[in-house]
Amino acid sequence: MKKRVLVTGGAGFLGSYLCEELLNKGNEVFCLDNFFTGHKKNIIHLLDNPYFELIRHDVTMPFYIEADEIYNLACPASPVYYQLNPIKTIKTSVMGSVNMLGLAKRIKAKILQASTSEVYGNPEEHPQNENYHGKVNPIGDRACYDEGKRCAESLFINYYRQNNVKIKILRIFNTYGPRMSANDGRVISNFIVSALKNKNIEVFGDGSQTRSFCYVDDMIKGMIRFMDTPDNITGPLNIGNSQEYSIIEIAEKIIEITGSRSKIIFKSLPEDDPLKRSPDISEARKTIDWNPEIDLDEGLKQTVKYFESII
Ligand code: NAD
Ligand code: UDP
């Protein structure tokens, strides 16, 4: 059945793939974005589709539309961008969630929140499962994002408990792929762009901190599958690839794949940069029968190909 689906942050990296996949599945898609970190070029190939509508709007302002489902992705995801205007980042997560939950309540739509592994902060438990409550510094440089997303989770669960809004909280771990901005500031795009230009690759700290990287196609499949679960399943649900790598390993891998002449140099570690991160995805395996299928080497090759084509 054709559904009307609102995707906030739809012109961003993940949002653009989500819009595309929802259209491929025969739905009508409303893509809402204020173009802070998103770009028209991410969705330009969708503009001719009569079932796709692009709306310039900021989620911190109320918005009304008739829809069956809402994916709430609006929020800058790169530490560089979410720290540019921290108050706005908090407003986007908190006021954006209030506005979208209010809309969902009014039109009786199902709503999915793009939450994040950042709710675990600099975790003391490893790998992180959904029952761990995290270790977040509420006044640190990353707090505007982490606490904004934590507050959003709280809003979502309370709209469910108090108002029976059909909610899904998805905790997304680091995801990468083609269509990330060349100046996005996150590690995979930074390293690939530097490697392709044979410029120094800047590793923050000693590079022993770890992350686990999920390819975008796997992520989008998981998101849609979670939205399709019965109404009593609210999450939070971790989703990501659990293969863990140190940042220095990532730098070396990217140099090898690109055949780059780049040197690795070391810069200071930003405040509160999590030292370890890897998702426990047993719940995702059970609830949505989901497992990432694209390993890092394959995903990086696709991503390198993309950046070669745009640089
Ligand atoms: P992105 O920065 O490419 O996309 C975010 C989109 O939201 C952009 O198009 C931006 O213009 C838009 N936006 C920002 N503020 C807005 C506002 N106030 N009103 C309307 N639109 C606004 O980042 P992404 O990687 O595609 O992330 C999408 C979502 O997934 C974010 O909510 C992010 O927190 C979450 N997430 C992503 C990752 C990841 O690794 N990619 C990890 C965890 C969580
Ligand atoms: N990082 C790095 N060099 C860069 C960008 C990031 O060493 O040019 C490190 C960063 O300090 C962090 C990891 O890579 O430890 C992942 O950073 P990213 O900004 O991609 O995401 P997040 O920290 O939010 O997971």
Side-chain angles (χ1 to χ4, degrees):
M1 194 189 65
K2 190 186 276 305
K3 287 178 287 196
R4 293 160 305 172
V5 188
L6 172 64
V7 178
T8 78
F13 162 53
L14 294 181
S16 62
Y17 282 96
L18 180 62
C19 290
E20 198 172 305
E21 189 55 22
L22 289 166
L23 286 168
N24 288 341
K25 287 184 178 292
N27 301 296
E28 186 166 0
V29 174
F30 311 113
C31 167
L32 179 157
D33 209 292
N34 73 347
F35 300 110
F36 176 48
T37 49
H39 302 275
K40 275 196 187 147
K41 66 174 175 345
N42 288 342
I43 39 95
I44 199 156
H45 58 297
L46 306 178
L47 290 175
D48 283 342
N49 187 324
Y51 293 107
F52 180 77
E53 258 177 79
L54 177 60
I55 304 150
R56 181 187 285 267
H57 184 81
D58 193 304
V59 285
T60 59
M61 311 293 281
F63 180 72
Y64 184 83
I65 203 164
E66 292 289 343
D68 304 298
E69 292 178 349
I70 304 169
Y71 287 83
N72 188 36
L73 271 62
C75 185
S78 160
V80 175
Y81 283 93
Y82 71 62
Q83 289 172 27
L84 274 183
N85 185 346
I87 296 173
K88 180 63 194 265
T89 300
I90 299 172
K91 285 184 180 171
T92 294
S93 277
V94 177
M95 293 162 71
S97 295
V98 169
N99 287 329
M100 290 305 129
L101 284 161
L103 175 64
K105 179 181 167 191
R106 183 163 170 197
I107 63 174
K108 298 194 173 12
K110 223 193 281 189
I111 179 166
L112 179 146
Q113 166 66 356
S115 190
T116 167
S117 50
E118 287 288 324
V119 300
Y120 301 121
N122 192 359
E124 290 155 313
E125 285 185 18
H126 193 73
Q128 295 80 54
N129 73 42
E130 291 85 349
N131 297 319
Y132 177 53
H133 297 163
K135 183 184 162 228
V136 175
N137 171 3
I139 57 167
D141 288 343
R142 296 173 82 102
C144 57
Y145 183 74
D146 301 10
E147 297 291 15
K149 291 281 189 180
R150 285 169 68 96
C151 182
E153 286 201 8
S154 186
L155 282 162
F156 269 72
I157 204 69
N158 284 300
Y159 267 79
Y160 170 73
R161 290 181 186 145
Q162 219 174 308
N163 295 140
N164 298 316
V165 174
K166 293 172 248 170
I167 64 132
K168 311 275 173 199
I169 298 169
L170 191 64
R171 290 184 180 155
I172 300 171
F173 283 63
N174 297 61
T175 304
Y176 71 100
R179 236 180 257 167
M180 293 182 93
S181 293
N183 65 353
D184 176 89
R186 281 177 276 183
V187 68
I188 299 281
S189 45
N190 269 10
F191 285 4
I192 293 178
V193 171
S194 299
L196 291 177
K197 293 181 172 170
N198 294 307
K199 285 188 171 166
N200 287 339
I201 288 186
E202 297 183 349
V203 167
F204 302 157
D206 62 6
S208 63
Q209 71 272 33
T210 67
R211 295 291 186 275
S212 311
F213 295 95
C214 183
Y215 191 67
V216 59
D217 292 1
D218 283 328
M219 178 57 59
I220 300 301
K221 270 188 210 154
M223 263 192 197
I224 295 177
R225 216 175 274 183
F226 186 39
M227 183 62 113
D228 289 344
T229 52
D231 293 346
N232 63 331
I233 295 180
T234 61
L237 187 75
N238 282 346
I239 187 160
N241 195 315
S242 42
Q243 268 187 306
E244 190 181 353
Y245 294 90
S246 68
I247 295 305
I248 196 89
E249 284 176 310
I250 297 292
E252 285 161 355
K253 216 177 232 310
I254 289 176
I255 288 176
E256 191 191 310
I257 290 175
T258 52
S260 171
R261 284 177 275 113
S262 295
K263 299 269 169 297
I264 295 174
I265 60 164
F266 295 91
K267 294 267 171 150
S268 55
L269 190 68
E271 186 190 29
D272 294 331
D273 198 294
L275 295 179
K276 270 173 171 277
R277 180 183 292 155
S278 178
D280 178 339
I281 51 169
S282 30
E283 196 54 43
R285 287 201 188 96
K286 212 165 51 191
T287 314
I288 56 171
D289 189 23
W290 180 89
N291 235 339
E293 285 167 7
I294 297 153
D295 70 16
L296 188 63
D297 285 304
E298 176 54 27
L300 284 179
K301 278 184 199 143
Q302 296 300 329
T303 313
V304 166
K305 221 187 280 174
Y306 167 77
F307 280 107
E308 275 170 343
S309 73
I310 63 158
I311 285 172

